[in-house]
Amino acid sequence: ECLYAKDICGKGKCVNTIGNYRCECDQGFKEATVNYVKKCYDIDECENSPCEGGTCNNIDGAFFCSCPDGMELDGTNVKCVDMDECTTAGYCEHGNCTNLADGKGFNCDCEKGYVKSVDGKTCEDMDECMMPNICKNGVCVDLPGTYRCDCNNGFKKNSAGECVDVDECFEYPDLCRHGSCSNKIGSFMCQCNEGFKQDATNQSCQDINECKQDGFCKNGNCRNRIGSAVCTCYPGYEKTIDGLSCEDKDECADEDNRCQLGGTCVNTDGSFKCLCNPGFVSDENERECIDVRRSFCFSSLENNQCTRANGLNVTKSVCCCSMGAGFGDPCELCPVKGTKEFEYYCPNGVGFIYSNNTDINECEANLGTCINGDCVNADGSFRCVCDEGYTLNPNNPRECIDRDECAAGSNYCGNGNCTNLVGSYQCSCEEGFEPGTDSPACVDVDECAAKEKLCVYRCKNLYGSYMCSCPKGFKLAEDQKHCVDINECDTPHRCPFRCKNFVGGFRCLCPPGYRKDAQGRCLEINECLDNPTLCRPGGFCQNIEGGYRCDCTPPFMRSDDGKFCQDKSMGLCFSNIVDKVCQGSSGKMEKVSQRDCCCTGGGSAWGTDCRVCPDLNTPEGRSLCTGYQNRTVDECKFIAGVCKNGKCMDTADGFTCMCNAGYKLSMNGMKCEDKDECSDGTASCPSGCKNIDGGYECICPEGYTINEDKSKCIDENECETGNHNCQNGCENT
């Protein structure tokens, strides 16, 4: 049967027997005969209720147990026990889980930033960005369990995480080049300087091209520049009064006009022309009159008369450009070199003809004479070759004078002073030099080796002098001998925050509210932890970024800068303190606030506990008195001992003191201080002076005493005053 009827057993193995067969069934199946056929049939295990606390589910060849919500199978897979959801994945994630026994479930408290899922099994992220106004002036980005605000352009986060306006004008000082910056909420605007205009965004300044403006630089060449323009007028034109355009220039009114020498100037639009006198001809441009007259040339002038004529007819240009003295008949004096007339006749300089820049041979034309020498022609001039023992006179190129060896530039004396002598010379050395051992020339003195203590630190010899130097961190004082500290903090950007100078160096400091760590970084200080006394008495300290703030309880109120709790109660005000005890007055005293007492400048202490007024230059003093305005009160009545050594006078904005003789008003006008008559020149002592409180004493030399009106020192009769140690008899001298 097993051979011919395959799968006859179904879920089992067929085993042939004599005249029959049997089925060895798989687990979960059993043999049964149905309609005379043996076969393996499923066993319904659920008939025996194998599942404890759960439901049995029969399947082909097996079964499984299923548990109700809150329960799970144990290791036998047939018993339902309580399910610990708190240790099961997928339950109460991002929350605090509490398991409930006997299948009753669990409790889940979600963490901040999470809410329960719809099925209540776990915690899902809360989308804070759905909340209204969650990121004002910014864009909200949801994150697991939290959110982040990305601020819009023009905003940044403050210490509370809020997006606040960025003052671009303060953060970026160079933002508006060529203009001034005005901050706006979330943005800024540039107000442009003259010569610039705003761009389309109003956030930068663009150069205005004045050259494209109608009427600008008329009759001229315009060249635009950053923030302005340069107008260069055409020849014959000059700037208008406002400098924006060009108008015709009256060249005839110009002192340098060439027509004035030998002609008359006629002005034209953008130009001019010359009408020439007889003996003068116009150049091709009609801008100059050329002298073409020819006559004798005179080389010297004696008693205002021209003498020594050269005997040849030459032009005035040839005559005067070869340094002649006069020209023509009657004689016209040659112009002085450097004058406008000389430049007219000699535009190419001394020694050259006017028309073609040709050299004048003064020696051939008998125009060059040399006293004590020979004439030698040269390009543009001539020169005198002096006889032996002579040299050219620097004031007269036609004269040779005695040679001064000291002025000849031969440097006979080195760095010394040379004195000319007949046939010789002598040297006198300047400070820092001395005569040499091999010649009279002056040589350098090594002051550092010759003299001690020239410099406090180090001496370096220089040629003809010496120089003192200082160690690192110091520089030379004004006396160039001592060394003074260099204030490195005067150098910009020396430190990222603050710079502290000290002798020989400097130190970089952190800004207020920060201090350095071991790596030199500036970290914020928690002032409230560092100093528990802050804001005491009357409040408690709250740390904020870069500082702290006081939260005060009545009758204390926070100061204007938020750094102190100020007592707003009323108390007595005292001007004088002796041995830490406030000194009252015999008159009636009014009660005032601590601010009224300490900020008027006359109070020294306040209140029943004699609380000393803080120095106005300390943080506590500035906090108490900044913004204080004197109300209408009579400080003379409520400040005990005010204006000691004087009389108190109430004024509209405070009070002032009228001081007694021997006292003077303090700088703030609120106290009477002793006047030092000895140092201010008011004392009239003939000899020595000693200042005392409220006055002064005149001191005379030993053996003298001051007279009654303190005008002079007179002899002291020690025998009468008893100021002696004579035992038998006394005689005054």
Side-chain angles (χ1 to χ4, degrees):
E1 296 85 353
C2 295
L3 181 62
Y4 292 100
K6 292 184 178 180
D7 297 328
I8 191 171
C9 289
K11 297 291 185 177
K13 178 181 179 183
C14 178
V15 179
N16 188 53
T17 61
I18 296 174
N20 206 343
Y21 70 94
R22 60 184 177 85
C23 291
E24 293 181 356
C25 297
D26 296 340
Q27 185 175 359
F29 293 86
K30 65 181 179 178
E31 185 183 68
T33 302
V34 178
N35 295 327
Y36 307 106
V37 178
K38 294 180 182 179
K39 196 172 182 178
C40 292
Y41 292 93
D42 176 59
I43 301 173
D44 187 358
E45 294 88 351
C46 294
E47 291 180 349
N48 298 323
S49 299
C51 297
E52 182 180 349
T55 301
C56 181
N57 300 277
N58 187 63
I59 58 175
D60 198 23
F63 73 98
F64 69 90
C65 296
S66 58
C67 298
D69 290 342
M71 306 288 283
E72 65 180 355
L73 292 171
D74 65 359
T76 64
N77 289 328
V78 295
K79 183 178 181 180
C80 290
V81 296
D82 177 60
M83 177 181 180
D84 188 356
E85 292 87 351
C86 296
T87 60
T88 303
Y91 285 86
C92 200
E93 295 179 347
H94 305 293
N96 296 318
C97 183
T98 303
N99 186 60
L100 301 178
D102 301 327
K104 293 181 180 180
F106 65 98
N107 289 331
C108 182
D109 295 328
C110 294
E111 298 173 354
K112 182 179 179 181
Y114 293 87
V115 294
K116 284 189 177 180
S117 60
V118 176
D119 58 9
K121 286 186 177 182
T122 187
C123 295
E124 298 177 337
D125 175 55
M126 175 194 297
D127 189 354
E128 294 88 350
C129 295
M130 299 297 292
M131 300 171 63
N133 297 323
I134 188 68
C135 280
K136 187 177 180 181
N137 301 320
V139 177
C140 180
V141 180
D142 185 52
L143 299 173
T146 182
Y147 68 97
R148 182 184 76 240
C149 284
D150 292 340
C151 296
N152 297 334
N153 289 335
F155 296 86
K156 66 178 181 180
K157 288 183 182 179
N158 61 9
S159 58
E162 302 168 337
C163 292
V164 296
D165 175 55
V166 175
D167 188 348
E168 294 87 352
C169 300
F170 177 79
E171 297 281 350
Y172 311 103
D174 297 330
L175 198 57
C176 287
R177 293 185 62 190
H178 311 302
S180 60
C181 182
S182 298
N183 187 58
K184 300 172 68 176
I185 300 301
S187 184
F188 68 95
M189 182 175 69
C190 292
Q191 301 291 339
C192 298
N193 298 334
E194 184 178 358
F196 296 87
K197 63 181 180 180
Q198 294 175 329
D199 66 356
T201 66
N202 294 334
Q203 292 185 345
S204 68
C205 294
Q206 297 176 338
D207 175 57
I208 297 174
N209 190 345
E210 292 85 355
C211 296
K212 294 183 179 181
Q213 296 178 347
D214 293 339
F216 188 86
C217 201
K218 183 180 179 181
N219 297 319
N221 180 36
C222 183
R223 185 174 60 185
N224 188 57
R225 288 185 175 180
I226 300 300
S228 65
V230 177
C231 180
T232 304
C233 295
Y234 295 142
Y237 294 88
E238 62 184 356
K239 290 280 186 71
T240 56
I241 295 177
D242 58 11
L244 303 179
S245 190
C246 299
E247 61 186 4
D248 175 56
K249 178 181 179 181
D250 186 359
E251 294 88 350
C252 295
D254 190 347
E255 294 181 356
D256 294 330
N257 188 276
R258 307 279 287 202
C259 288
Q260 297 173 358
L261 298 172
T264 302
C265 178
V266 178
N267 187 58
T268 60
D269 186 27
S271 184
F272 68 97
K273 63 181 180 178
C274 296
L275 300 179
C276 297
N277 298 333
F280 292 81
V281 294
S282 175
D283 66 353
E284 60 182 7
N285 297 320
E286 296 185 337
R287 298 252 178 140
E288 187 173 352
C289 293
I290 302 173
D291 190 350
V292 295
R293 297 173 300 162
R294 302 180 71 87
S295 186
F296 295 116
C297 182
F298 300 90
S299 63
S300 63
L301 185 67
E302 296 177 3
N303 298 322
N304 293 325
Q305 297 292 324
C306 294
T307 61
R308 297 184 184 179
N310 66 336
L312 300 174
N313 278 329
V314 294
T315 64
K316 187 174 181 178
S317 174
V318 171
C319 175
C320 294
C321 295
S322 60
M323 299 308 292
F327 167 82
D329 184 17
C331 182
E332 298 175 7
L333 297 182
C334 286
V336 179
K337 186 178 180 181
T339 63
K340 295 177 182 178
E341 187 180 1
F342 182 85
E343 293 178 359
Y344 166 76
Y345 280 102
C346 307
N348 300 311
V350 175
F352 293 92
I353 298 175
Y354 174 89
S355 57
N356 55 12
N357 199 23
T358 302
D359 173 58
I360 301 172
N361 191 330
E362 294 85 355
C363 298
E364 290 183 356
N366 199 24
L367 299 174
T369 58
C370 293
I371 302 173
N372 299 319
D374 297 324
C375 177
V376 177
N377 188 60
D379 285 341
S381 182
F382 70 95
R383 61 186 176 88
C384 290
V385 179
C386 296
D387 298 337
E388 186 71 23
Y390 290 86
T391 185
L392 200 62
N393 186 347
N395 299 319
N396 185 0
R398 301 183 178 192
E399 180 184 12
C400 295
I401 59 175
D402 176 60
R403 180 184 182 188
D404 184 354
E405 291 85 356
C406 296
S410 55
N411 198 26
Y412 290 124
C413 290
N415 287 290
N417 296 319
C418 178
T419 301
N420 186 54
L421 300 175
V422 178
S424 183
Y425 67 96
Q426 67 180 20
C427 298
S428 58
C429 298
E430 298 179 355
E431 184 177 359
F433 295 89
E434 62 184 2
T437 56
D438 299 328
S439 73
C442 298
V443 296
D444 174 56
V445 176
D446 188 349
E447 293 87 351
C448 298
K451 300 179 182 179
E452 296 182 357
K453 300 181 179 179
L454 282 177
C455 299
V456 170
Y457 181 67
R458 183 170 294 163
C459 179
K460 179 182 179 181
N461 186 59
L462 301 176
Y463 191 66
S465 183
Y466 68 96
M467 181 180 69
C468 296
S469 61
C470 295
K472 183 178 180 181
F474 292 85
K475 64 181 180 180
L476 286 175
E478 292 184 359
D479 63 2
Q480 298 298 306
K481 176 179 179 181
H482 293 81
C483 294
V484 295
D485 174 56
I486 297 174
N487 190 345
E488 294 86 353
C489 296
D490 288 341
T491 302
H493 311 299
R494 174 70 71 178
C495 293
F497 295 108
R498 289 195 301 147
C499 179
K500 174 69 174 178
N501 185 65
F502 59 86
V503 177
F506 69 98
R507 182 181 295 110
C508 290
L509 304 178
C510 293
Y514 292 80
R515 63 185 169 199
K516 285 186 179 180
D517 62 2
Q519 286 76 37
R521 300 171 298 184
C522 290
L523 303 179
E524 187 196 5
I525 300 172
N526 189 329
E527 294 86 352
C528 301
L529 291 178
D530 286 358
N531 187 1
T533 64
L534 291 177
C535 304
R536 305 289 185 183
F540 60 91
C541 177
Q542 182 175 344
N543 188 64
I544 60 176
E545 185 176 359
Y548 68 94
R549 182 183 67 229
C550 289
D551 292 335
C552 306
T553 56
F556 291 85
M557 293 183 67
R558 184 187 297 156
S559 61
D560 292 340
D561 61 1
K563 302 297 184 183
F564 300 90
C565 289
Q566 298 173 349
D567 193 345
K568 298 298 181 179
S569 59
M570 308 296 281
L572 298 179
C573 183
F574 301 92
S575 175
N576 298 314
I577 306 174
V578 179
D579 295 332
K580 300 182 180 180
V581 177
C582 289
Q583 302 298 305
S585 66
S586 58
K588 183 179 179 180
M589 297 172 60
E590 297 179 2
K591 289 187 176 182
V592 294
S593 69
Q594 184 185 15
R595 208 175 191 202
D596 283 333
C597 176
C598 296
C599 298
T600 60
S604 297
W606 173 85
T608 56
D609 55 350
C610 193
R611 191 181 306 167
V612 177
C613 290
D615 189 334
L616 296 181
N617 292 321
T618 63
E620 185 179 2
R622 288 191 292 269
S623 174
L624 178 65
C625 297
T626 298
Y628 174 76
Q629 294 182 349
N630 189 21
R631 57 191 179 91
T632 306
V633 293
D634 188 349
E635 293 86 351
C636 299
K637 292 182 179 180
F638 71 74
I639 301 178
V642 68
C643 292
K644 184 180 179 181
N645 300 316
K647 181 179 179 181
C648 179
M649 303 292 290
D650 185 46
T651 62
D653 57 352
F655 71 94
T656 187
C657 295
M658 302 293 290
C659 298
N660 298 336
Y663 296 89
K664 65 178 180 180
L665 203 60
S666 62
M667 292 296 291
N668 61 8
M670 296 179 180
K671 289 186 179 181
C672 289
E673 302 173 342
D674 175 55
K675 177 182 180 182
D676 190 348
E677 296 86 351
C678 296
S679 61
D680 65 10
T682 58
S684 58
C685 292
S687 182
C689 179
K690 176 183 179 183
N691 186 64
I692 60 176
D693 189 30
Y696 67 94
E697 293 179 351
C698 290
I699 302 174
C700 292
E702 186 176 0
Y704 292 85
T705 184
I706 194 71
N707 63 353
E708 291 184 0
D709 61 1
K710 298 183 179 180
S711 63
K712 64 179 180 177
C713 291
I714 60 176
D715 176 58
E716 178 187 2
N717 191 334
E718 292 87 352
C719 299
E720 292 181 355
T721 61
N723 187 19
H724 65 86
N725 54 4
C726 298
Q727 296 180 356
N728 297 321
C730 176
E731 181 180 350
N732 185 58
T733 59

